[in-house]
Amino acid sequence: MTGAAEALVSIPDGALVIDGDRITYCGPFDDVEAGDWEVGGFEVFDHRPGFLLPGFVDTHVHFPQTFAGDAYGGGQLLEWLDACIFPSETLLADPSFAATAAVAFCDRRIAAGTTQAMVFGSAFPHAQDALFAETWRRGLRVVSGRGVQTTGPDSAQALVTSEGDALRLVSEEIEKWHAADTGDVGTALLHVAVVPRFSLSVTRETLKNLGELYDSVRDRGVYFHSHLNENDRPGSGEVATTKDAYQVDTYLDTYDGKFMPGSAVGGKSLLGRRSILAHAVHCQDTELARMAETGTSISHCPTSQQFLGSGTMPWKRTVAAGVNIAIGSDYGGGDEFLLTRVLGDAFKVHMSEAGEDAVSLHPAELLFTGTLAGARALDMEDRIGNFDVGKEADFVVVDPAEWPPLAGLLEHGVQSEDPELARDQTLFRLLMAMREPSITEVYVQGRRLH
Ligand code: GUN
Ligand code: ZN
């Protein structure tokens, strides 16, 4: 449905040539010498019989939940936030704990081959400083912003600020960290986002202030990120609670400047081509259409949606609406950093949708959702996401020998006689069965990360 299957390119004995930070060739190894350059002039790394894949792009992951995954006893979303998440995120008030979390967060990203990520940030500026500094030191990419909260339950009080501080701290983060590494958003590894936690964590005044702020920094390549339509549990669901609190027709209206009663306009829209909304499980058609119209992307988080009992983003209907769908781990709502595991959950939940809605996602569609769709969601399709010549060289090396269950499937699984189906079977097994130990090398801009 996304055209991914037709666009898939598989080169069985391939070569990826990197010059500096860029890809200068991707094609059959035997054709390398026929180019304008010669193998002799390059250092050659032989990864056979391994695989090179584009670096994975996680479009929704929570830094201050690095140690909050697999939290038991929280139930569904709003209770889980109260019982498990707000207390966990409060621990980052301690700068040394925040620094430890930043190191662990980058470790987990590198182990999982997540070269780029939209990272839902901590409320604490010192923790965001630790995240950006550690990300820079490790050579990873990141888009992140402090999670803004101006209202909330008792358990969230340490994360809540005044309206004035909320606005000031977001502005300061943009000035301090947006493209801080190169001074140019077009080449930077570090970018900043405006991130209200969700509409229930802020007030109309916050949404108005952030809308004005965002409008003033949009053309500097700043991002917008939040949650949308995640949980509709009867009685205490996030969707009904939000619509009730704001008296709006749709949840999306609150991010679209229409946060006054009756969805009247009260400020500027936060939607656009660098805006990503996580979940979108329970959207109305008008919300999907508005996201498509504004270029806003959805971060689909099936692992988290299972963990928190949120339901499933309807795949066919959401694709048909024309919205870009990328993948998100939503760690610690999800309990997997490795995006191929999250894509595996996407395969399973969409295969299990009711009746005609059930769909068997093509492995190319899974790969696309975990890579190029993420680059598109971040408006970075010209820089990363696949191996097109001229793009920045972000990739992972997968060595099946380092994960014997994967090696066994690839070696002994039944393969079709049809070469195209055999290719798809190999890619599917690779994506479904790989685990962190099989990701032996990770590169960003042609530099190996450790
Ligand atoms: N909605 C508001 N905050 C959160 C969060 O931390 N995780 C998830 N999954 N949804 C949220
Ligand atoms: Zn989330």
Side-chain angles (χ1 to χ4, degrees), residues 297-300 313-315 318-319 323-327 368-370 373-374 377:
S297 291
I298 291 172
S299 177
H300 178 32
M313 184 200 78
W315 181 268
T318 311
V319 169
V323 196
N324 180 47
I325 304 167
I327 206 76
F368 169 79
T369 306

Side-chain angles (χ1 to χ4, degrees), residues 15-19 22-27 32 37 39 42 52 389 391 393:
L16 187 69
V17 180
I18 316 286
D19 196 1
R22 309 253 159 190
I23 295 166
T24 54
Y25 173 87
C26 177
V32 169
W37 23 264
V39 170
F42 287 78
L52 303 190
V389 167
K391 285 200 184 183

Side-chain angles (χ1 to χ4, degrees), residues 110-433:
I110 294 171
T114 302
T115 50
Q116 172 63 304
M118 171 62 94
V119 177
F120 208 102
S122 165
F124 303 109
H126 61 256
Q128 288 299 98
D129 288 348
L131 173 71
F132 280 112
E134 182 65 12
T135 304
W136 193 356
R137 192 178 76 78
R138 305 292 283 274
L140 279 165
R141 297 177 192 269
V142 77
V143 182
S144 185
R146 68 177 295 271
V148 176
Q149 297 186 226
T150 49
T151 183
D154 287 351
S155 59
Q157 284 317 303
L159 311 173
V160 171
T161 69
S162 67
E163 300 289 350
D165 282 350
L167 196 60
R168 177 179 58 80
L169 292 171
V170 176
S171 301
E172 286 175 3
E173 188 171 21
I174 294 168
E175 297 315 321
K176 185 167 188 181
W177 288 111
H178 191 56
D181 52 323
T182 65
D184 171 1
V185 286
T187 58
L189 296 179
L190 309 178
H191 295 88
V192 174
V194 173
V195 186
R197 174 165 218 122
F198 63 166
S199 297
L200 288 177
S201 285
V202 294
T203 64
R204 287 197 175 96
E205 186 180 347
T206 319
L207 289 170
K208 184 174 187 337
N209 291 340
L210 292 182
E212 265 159 37
L213 172 65
Y214 190 58
D215 208 52
S216 71
V217 292
R218 254 181 209 272
D219 61 0
R220 290 170 56 191
V222 173
Y223 293 81
F224 169 70
H225 189 40
S226 194
H227 296 94
L228 175 77
N229 283 328
E230 178 177 0
N231 178 283
D232 74 346
R233 183 186 174 147
S236 63
E238 166 222 23
V239 179
T241 309
T242 304
K243 285 164 72 178
D244 193 47
Y246 282 89
Q247 291 294 302
V248 285
D249 301 334
T250 73
Y251 191 154
L252 188 71
D253 284 343
T254 60
Y255 301 132
D256 200 11
K258 298 188 281 183
F259 47 72
M260 300 305 283
S263 290
V265 174
K268 296 206 158 42
S269 177
L270 291 156
L271 308 183
R273 55 187 286 142
R274 282 184 294 280
S275 300
I276 301 180
L277 292 169
H279 299 289
V281 173
H282 309 284
C283 285
Q284 300 176 29
D285 286 344
T286 52
E287 294 177 290
L288 294 175
R290 181 66 180 148
M291 282 190 276
E293 179 191 3
T294 55
T296 302
S297 291
I298 291 172
S299 177
H300 178 32
C301 308
T303 307
S304 157
Q305 284 149 19
Q306 291 181 100
F307 188 83
L308 292 172
S310 306
T312 300
M313 184 200 78
W315 181 268
K316 284 188 182 175
R317 185 173 150 246
T318 311
V319 169
V323 196
N324 180 47
I325 304 167
I327 206 76
S329 68
D330 195 21
Y331 202 94
D335 62 348
E336 283 286 352
F337 264 82
L338 182 60
L339 286 178
T340 51
R341 295 298 285 148
V342 181
L343 293 165
D345 282 345
F347 181 84
K348 293 168 196 163
V349 297
H350 298 304
M351 182 66 100
S352 305
E353 285 196 63
E356 291 297 302
D357 294 333
V359 54
S360 172
L361 293 179
H362 193 283
E365 208 157 16
L366 297 175
L367 180 63
F368 169 79
T369 306
T371 55
L372 194 58
R376 195 173 284 175
L378 292 166
D379 197 24
M380 287 188 185
E381 208 176 340
D382 57 336
R383 293 183 61 184
I384 54 171
N386 63 11
F387 293 156
D388 283 352
V389 167
K391 285 200 184 183
E392 297 167 29
D394 286 19
F395 62 98
V396 300
V397 179
V398 184
D399 181 357
E402 296 298 321
W403 186 247
L406 170 62
L409 294 180
L410 291 171
E411 197 177 334
H412 303 299
V414 172
Q415 288 284 92
S416 170
E417 298 284 315
D418 170 28
E420 194 176 306
L421 182 54
R423 174 202 71 177
D424 296 344
Q425 290 170 331
T426 298
L427 178 59
F428 190 66
R429 287 189 180 114
L430 177 64
L431 295 176
M432 296 296 280

